[in-house]
């Protein structure tokens, strides 16, 4: 057996199999092309919305972004990418989630997702004012509403509804409420609110926020819990005894505990508010942070209690600038400035988020 005719037939079949494989690959790609990612909240997920508003909470100058593509200081409060950028890459959507307020975004960028987050924002309505007039959570929802009608005029109502339903929504907020509002810099809320009452205030706002997102049609909400804030370099500095605080740098347990207390109630709230057709996943990053703080060397970090920019104990935003001294190796620091992780830390933290992204993607197959 095996004349030239059979060989030719075999060739044709093989060729078609290859085409089929390519076509399947193509279908997979277009499927993930239908998936969009949105972010709401604070600096942990803000890729530069604050560049477009009047505020001092900015990071669109060096050394921010020194490890970003082309070393561009985009407005991200780190040397490179954020957790949400890693999430978008991982889900096969795109490598960077751009800021919504960039009015020059292409339709393709808009359709695959944007961030509405604003560095300095929080659930407490007072927080965005205290941190320099940044974008409040209700205002971020307004922008999302505007976004929705903008794309509706382009792709129609039905496709818009599907896109909104299928998309992944990553939320990160609350840190600034505790740092800038409750414990310091103002400490205003602590004068009139016990911690349980403050939790209650934040939960009301969180509830409104989630309600709005669900009402607008969001199908997969991923809420990231708070980190152990007491271990952030600036917190350690400001809450330490001024005499030995610069030498004996220890996490402020009271502040980390307050964050963890918030996490427990927020997790419960997420569960309560789930709907049959809309999931709300609570993802804890607290343990991942703690693992790193407790044994930084294990993760290849040299320093966890001071940051890379400047003296490493104070500088953030405009105080971390082109005149600041920079550590020789950014990657061996947990923190880039005194309140924000380095890109490498974000990539490690993303591992806590990945299983939830997997779960969402599986649900779409
Ligand atoms: C807007 O995008 C276009 C195409 O990518 C680019 O040529 C132009 O410089 C951008 N404009 C601004 C203001 O960024
Ligand atoms: C910088 O730190 C990272 C993480 O510990 C390490 O892998 C890398 O080799 C270091 N680079 C240099 C030039 O020392």
């Amino acid at each position: 057996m095996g004349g030239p005719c059979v060989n030719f037939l075999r060739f044709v079949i093989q060729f078609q199999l290859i085409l089929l494989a390519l076509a399947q690959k193509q279908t997979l790609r277009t499927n993930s092309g239908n998936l969009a990612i949105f972010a709401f909240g604070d600096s942990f997920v803000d890729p530069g919305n604050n560049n477009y508003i009047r505020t001092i909470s900015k990071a669109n100058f060096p050394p921010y972004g020194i490890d970003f593509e082309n070393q561009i200081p985009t407005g991200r409060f780190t040397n490179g990418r954020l957790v949400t950028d890693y999430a978008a890459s991982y889900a096969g959507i795109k490598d960077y989630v751009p800021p919504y307020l960039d009015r020059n975004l292409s339709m393709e960028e808009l359709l695959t997702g944007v961030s509405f987050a604003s560095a300095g924002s929080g659930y407490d309505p007072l927080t965005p004012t205290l941190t320099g007039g940044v974008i409040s959570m209700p205002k971020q929802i307004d922008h999302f509403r505007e976004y929705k009608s903008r794309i509706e005029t382009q792709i129609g109502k039905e496709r818009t509804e599907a896109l909104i339903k299928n998309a992944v929504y990553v939320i990160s907020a609350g840190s600034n409420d505790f740092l800038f509002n409750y414990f310091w810099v103002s400490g205003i809320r602590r004068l009139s609110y016990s911690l349980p009452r403050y939790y209650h205030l934040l939960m009301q706002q969180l509830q409104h926020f989630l309600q709005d997102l669900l009402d607008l049609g969001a199908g997969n909400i991923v809420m990231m819990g708070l980190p152990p804030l007491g271990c952030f370099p600036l917190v350690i500095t400001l809450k330490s005894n001024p005499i030995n605080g610069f030498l004996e740098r220890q996490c402020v347990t009271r502040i980390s505990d307050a964050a963890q207390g918030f996490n427990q109630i927020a997790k419960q709230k997420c569960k309560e508010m789930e709907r049959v057709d809309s999931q709300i996943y609570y993802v804890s990053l607290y343990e991942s942070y703690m693992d790193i703080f407790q044994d930084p060397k294990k993760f290849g970090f040299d320093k966890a209690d001071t940051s890379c920019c400047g003296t490493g104990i104070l500088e953030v935003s405009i105080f971390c600038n082109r005149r600041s001294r920079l550590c020789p190796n950014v990657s061996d620091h947990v923190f880039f400035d005194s309140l924000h992780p380095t890109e490498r830390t974000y990539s490690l933290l993303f591992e806590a988020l990945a299983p939830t992204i997997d779960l969402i993607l599986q649900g779409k197959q």
Side-chain angles (χ1 to χ4, degrees):
M1 289 281 293
C5 191
V6 174
N7 275 338
F8 180 67
L9 202 63
R10 196 175 286 152
F11 170 75
V12 168
I13 290 171
Q14 276 178 355
F15 186 64
Q16 287 193 341
L17 282 177
I18 290 170
L19 279 184
L20 195 67
L22 282 175
Q24 275 175 346
K25 219 170 170 171
Q26 200 58 41
T27 331
L28 273 176
R29 278 182 64 112
T30 21
N31 273 346
S32 64
N34 286 337
L35 187 63
I37 181 166
F38 299 100
F40 294 83
D42 56 25
S43 54
F44 297 127
V45 295
D46 175 8
N49 281 308
N50 284 7
N51 302 350
Y52 304 95
I53 61 170
R54 281 169 63 102
T55 176
I56 56 158
S57 297
K58 287 188 205 266
N60 56 348
F61 39 79
Y64 289 108
I66 49 161
D67 296 309
F68 201 80
E69 200 180 356
N70 302 324
Q71 297 192 300
I72 298 173
T74 54
R76 287 169 175 80
F77 277 75
T78 185
N79 57 311
R81 304 167 68 198
L82 301 171
V83 164
T84 25
D85 296 318
Y86 284 106
S89 292
Y90 183 80
I93 302 173
K94 52 185 171 185
D95 287 335
Y96 309 105
V97 182
Y100 175 64
L101 292 188
D102 178 353
R103 289 289 150 160
N104 203 19
L105 295 180
S106 65
M107 193 38 67
E108 196 198 331
E109 279 283 22
L110 287 172
L111 293 179
T112 46
V114 291
S115 171
F116 299 93
S118 173
S121 202
Y123 295 114
D124 186 337
L126 193 57
T127 300
T129 312
L130 291 173
T131 55
V134 303
I135 308 163
S136 69
M137 301 297 281
K139 187 80 192 165
Q140 293 181 24
I141 289 284
D142 285 347
H143 286 158
F144 180 50
R145 208 173 271 122
E146 178 197 84
Y147 163 89
K148 206 177 151 182
S149 49
R150 253 175 94 185
I151 62 162
E152 206 175 290
T153 61
Q154 295 289 322
I155 63 170
K157 195 170 173 61
E158 214 165 291
R159 274 187 69 198
T160 301
E161 296 294 340
L163 185 148
I164 297 293
K165 187 92 215 159
N166 282 322
V168 181
Y169 299 78
V170 182
I171 323 292
S172 159
S175 293
N176 296 310
D177 297 317
F178 288 99
L179 292 186
F180 288 92
N181 202 341
Y182 197 79
F183 287 109
W184 50 268
V185 163
S186 77
I188 282 179
R189 288 297 196 196
R190 198 147 49 107
L191 301 177
S192 44
Y193 284 82
S194 65
L195 202 47
R197 279 195 61 219
Y198 195 54
Y199 287 152
H200 185 70
L201 181 148
L202 298 180
M203 283 310 133
Q204 282 177 323
Q205 300 300 319
L206 171 61
Q207 179 160 347
H208 283 153
F209 177 79
L210 291 175
Q211 193 70 52
D212 285 344
L213 260 192
L214 292 168
D215 291 347
L216 281 160
N220 310 286
I221 301 173
V222 181
M223 174 169 169
M224 296 199 290
L226 299 183
L229 294 169
C231 296
F232 281 39
L234 185 57
V235 179
I236 296 179
T237 304
L238 296 186
K239 284 288 167 187
S240 295
N241 173 342
I243 314 253
N244 63 14
F246 298 145
L247 304 170
E248 286 174 36
R249 296 181 58 76
Q250 277 171 5
C251 296
V252 187
T253 316
R254 187 166 56 102
I255 296 184
S256 293
D257 288 350
Q260 189 65 317
F262 170 89
N263 286 343
Q264 262 135 29
I265 311 174
K267 182 178 179 178
Q268 194 57 40
K269 180 63 75 184
C270 290
K271 204 181 274 172
E272 270 170 41
M273 294 195 63
E274 266 196 337
R275 294 179 185 174
V276 186
D277 57 346
S278 296
Q279 314 297 317
I280 308 179
Y281 305 90
Y282 169 85
V283 175
S284 177
L285 302 182
Y286 195 96
E287 294 75 18
S288 310
Y289 270 106
M290 265 335 229
D291 288 347
I292 296 174
F293 291 142
Q294 275 159 4
D295 193 358
K297 297 261 188 285
K298 185 174 144 195
F299 298 89
F301 292 114
D302 185 35
K303 289 243 183 294
D305 60 354
T306 57
S307 50
C308 177
C309 188
T311 60
I313 59 173
L314 283 173
E315 294 88 342
V316 63
S317 191
I318 53 171
F319 299 105
C320 168
N321 54 48
R322 63 181 81 236
R323 289 166 164 226
S324 307
R325 186 195 66 94
L326 217 58
C327 62
N329 186 357
V330 182
S331 300
D332 68 14
H333 278 64
V334 176
F335 287 96
F336 187 64
D337 69 19
S338 64
L339 286 180
H340 300 99
T342 55
E343 170 182 83
R344 199 161 85 79
T345 307
Y346 277 132
S347 77
L348 292 173
L349 293 172
F350 173 70
E351 287 172 21
L353 195 62
T356 305
I357 302 288
D358 282 334
L359 217 59
I360 294 172
L361 293 175
Q362 272 160 24
K364 305 204 175 307
Q365 275 167 11

